[in-house]
């Protein structure tokens, strides 16, 4: 197979995607796109070998690009993904893939009418050594049977709702924009399927910002085997950016901490938990790209395959429907 040619849209976190491609085998970043002229001049200096576009559509129409990384604003992803597929390009999209059910349907349809193209996304907590270690322990039975899990996305960056593009997107979703990371983590760690969600939200922290949707959303998840979960997207918290994760099994309980994690193997207060020092988060935002490129080349598996990312998106969209309509939402055919 010839070397692949990559393009990157959006040069915020998209710059990390450039570095991810550079760590992958047999792919060259040949084109970049940002609508911001200052970003363009920065990129021309740093990446002189790349063609530069102002309009994403022009990069997406470039026949000399095989794979595109989409790191534009959340509400631009869906249309760009569909256009990329329809011009035969593989897509590594930033989360969230889209903001609405009908956009998710359009992405699935575009994928099925373009067999051979691949899609992955950047719910990169799966690459964290802390959570990879935890998943290994769950899989080898150390925690016993999982029956309850909590995962809180404590964003700790309220200013981003007031100052940046997030607060300007009509109907910005904190669950799709941030909580998606911990929803994906919970599905991946448990290996289970969610059958029902019930959610609620408030916007007390961002009162007065003119922000139209909740900055805090909490959801209870019911899994196919009876396990329960709770996830939050807590954008206003007075707390550092942190993934607060607690996994309860019949044999042990895991608790993530900022310095280290703990594994409680006893109900006795006098028995200290095991300390787990694997790095957290210990990731670079481009870490999923080399595996995705290997999958495109047919020499490996993407860490996040299409069915995983669709499952995560369906849970997040169901959570948003639940708080919006104040109803429990069932998923799939269950
Ligand atoms: N996976 C992660 O951990 C992670 C972390 C941060 C951001 N993100 C996601 O990455 C995306 C970008 O966020 P960011 O923090 O980099 O924002 P940012 O504001 O730092 O950078 C975004 C850049 O993209 C450009 N841009 C946006 N839409 C564009 C379009 N349609 N065409 C051309 N240029 C466009 C902007 O001009 C800007 O330079 C968002 O979807 C966000 O949710 C993911």
């Amino acid at each position: 197979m010839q070397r692949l040619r990559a393009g990157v849209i959006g040069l915020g976190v998209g710059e990390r995607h450039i570095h991810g491609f550079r760590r992958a085998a047999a792919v060259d970043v040949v084109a970049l796109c940002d609508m911001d002229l200052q970003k363009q001049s920065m990129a021309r200096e740093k990446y002189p070998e790349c063609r530069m576009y102002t309009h994403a559509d022009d990069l997406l129409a470039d026949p000399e690009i095989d794979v595109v990384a989409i790191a534009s604003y959340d509400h631009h992803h869906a249309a760009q993904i569909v256009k990329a597929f329809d011009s035969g390009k593989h897509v590594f999209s930033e989360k969230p893939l889209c903001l609405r059910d009908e956009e998710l349907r359009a992405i699935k349809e575009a994928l099925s009418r373009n067999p051979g193209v691949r899609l992955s996304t950047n719910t990169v907590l799966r690459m964290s050594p802390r959570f990879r270690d935890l998943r290994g322990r769950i899989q080898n039975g150390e925690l016993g049977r999982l029956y309850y899990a909590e995962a809180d996305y404590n964003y700790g960056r309220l200013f981003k709702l007031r100052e940046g593009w997030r607060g300007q997107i009509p109907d910005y979703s904190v669950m799709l924009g941030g909580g998606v990371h911990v929803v994906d983590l919970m599905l991946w760690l448990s290996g289970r399927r969610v059958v029902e969600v019930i959610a609620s939200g408030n916007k007390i922290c961002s009162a007065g910002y003119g922000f139209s949707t909740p900055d805090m959303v909490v959801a209870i998840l019911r899994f196919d085997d009876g396990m329960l979960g709770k996830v939050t997207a807590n954008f206003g918290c007075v707390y550092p950016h942190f993934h607060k994760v607690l996994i309860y099994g019949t044999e042990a309980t895991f608790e993530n901490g900022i310095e280290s994690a703990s594994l409680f193997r006893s109900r006795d207060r006098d028995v200290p938990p095991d300390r787990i020092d694997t790095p957290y988060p210990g990731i670079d935002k481009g870490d999923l790209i080399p595996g995705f490129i290997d999958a495109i080349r047919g020499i490996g598996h993407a860490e996040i395959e299409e069915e995983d990312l669709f499952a995560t998106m369906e849970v997040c969209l169901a959570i948003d429907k639940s708080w919006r309509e104040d109803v429990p939402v069932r998923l799939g055919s269950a």
Side-chain angles (χ1 to χ4, degrees):
M1 193 180 183
Q2 290 184 330
R3 292 181 72 79
L4 294 168
R5 298 156 303 180
V8 177
I9 302 172
L11 298 176
V13 76
E15 268 209 274
R16 303 315 310 162
H17 297 193
I18 298 174
H19 295 284
F21 283 121
R22 287 181 166 179
R23 282 186 279 130
V27 57
D28 301 306
V29 180
V30 298
L32 304 174
C33 168
D34 201 296
M35 58 193 184
D36 180 306
L37 297 181
Q38 279 184 345
K39 284 278 173 71
Q40 287 186 22
S41 57
M42 169 282 289
R44 279 203 181 86
E45 220 162 275
K46 276 171 91 173
Y47 312 103
E49 69 285 8
C50 295
R51 297 190 283 289
M52 181 67 61
Y53 291 104
T54 304
H55 302 290
D57 283 358
D58 294 334
L59 183 147
L60 293 168
D62 183 336
E64 295 187 356
I65 293 175
D66 308 298
V67 50
V68 59
I70 296 177
S72 53
Y73 300 143
D74 292 10
H75 55 316
H76 297 178
H77 296 172
Q80 292 174 353
I81 294 169
V82 169
K83 278 188 186 148
F85 286 161
D86 284 339
S87 53
K89 298 180 190 353
H90 306 281
V91 176
F92 182 81
S93 173
E94 264 306 337
K95 32 58 55 175
L97 282 192
C98 61
L99 303 180
R100 286 172 241 297
D101 290 320
E102 56 275 21
E103 291 175 339
L104 187 60
R105 269 197 301 280
I107 290 170
K108 288 180 180 176
E109 283 164 17
L111 191 58
S112 49
R113 71 175 169 264
N114 294 287
V117 295
R118 298 296 311 265
L119 172 66
S120 193
T121 192
N122 207 18
T123 40
V124 70
L125 287 180
R126 290 193 189 199
M127 298 304 279
S128 168
R130 178 76 52 87
F131 297 126
R132 292 184 85 76
D133 170 83
L134 170 59
R135 188 164 183 257
R137 292 172 191 268
I138 292 170
Q139 288 184 334
N140 73 24
E142 255 180 89
L143 277 77
R145 180 172 169 192
L146 305 189
Y147 64 93
Y148 178 59
E150 295 183 358
D152 296 321
Y153 184 79
N154 280 355
Y155 193 52
R157 298 169 179 159
L158 189 58
F159 68 94
K160 289 214 181 191
L161 293 186
R162 180 160 46 192
E163 288 158 23
W165 52 268
R166 291 171 179 80
Q168 283 156 26
I169 298 181
D171 298 336
Y172 179 75
S173 161
V174 293
M175 189 53 70
L176 287 162
V180 63
H181 281 293
V182 292
V183 170
D184 182 70
L185 190 69
M186 200 181 279
L187 297 189
W188 176 70
L189 288 172
S190 69
R192 305 276 185 275
R193 196 169 60 84
V194 173
V195 294
E196 188 176 51
V197 306
I198 180 157
S200 194
N202 65 34
K203 48 182 167 187
I204 294 169
C205 290
S206 61
Y209 280 30
F211 187 59
S212 60
T213 46
D215 56 64
M216 162 72 202
V217 170
V218 55
I220 302 293
L221 315 180
R222 199 159 60 76
F223 287 79
D224 51 359
D225 69 340
M227 179 180 137
L228 294 172
K230 181 210 75 175
V231 291
T232 62
N234 185 350
F235 271 45
C237 58
V238 183
Y239 202 96
H241 187 76
F242 183 59
H243 310 96
K244 209 164 188 305
V245 174
L246 261 166
I247 309 285
Y248 294 88
T250 51
E251 302 298 326
T253 300
F254 169 94
E255 181 171 23
N256 196 31
I258 294 179
E259 296 302 325
S260 64
S262 303
L263 190 67
F264 295 83
R265 297 180 188 273
S266 169
R267 294 178 173 93
D268 184 340
R269 187 186 286 261
D270 295 332
V271 178
D274 295 356
R275 187 183 156 105
I276 298 173
D277 284 322
T278 42
Y280 161 83
I283 39 181
D284 184 273
K285 304 277 186 203
D287 280 351
L288 287 161
I289 290 182
F292 181 55
I293 296 298
D294 284 350
I296 292 170
R297 297 174 62 78
I299 54 172
H301 291 284
E303 175 61 51
I304 305 176
E305 304 217 317
E306 290 81 353
E307 65 183 45
D308 304 340
L309 60 96
F310 290 146
T312 294
M313 283 300 299
E314 280 158 12
V315 172
C316 292
L317 288 164
I319 289 171
D320 278 356
K321 181 179 164 76
S322 177
W323 66 253
R324 203 177 289 117
E325 297 179 13
D326 202 14
V327 290
V329 176
R330 291 184 72 78
L331 283 103
S333 54

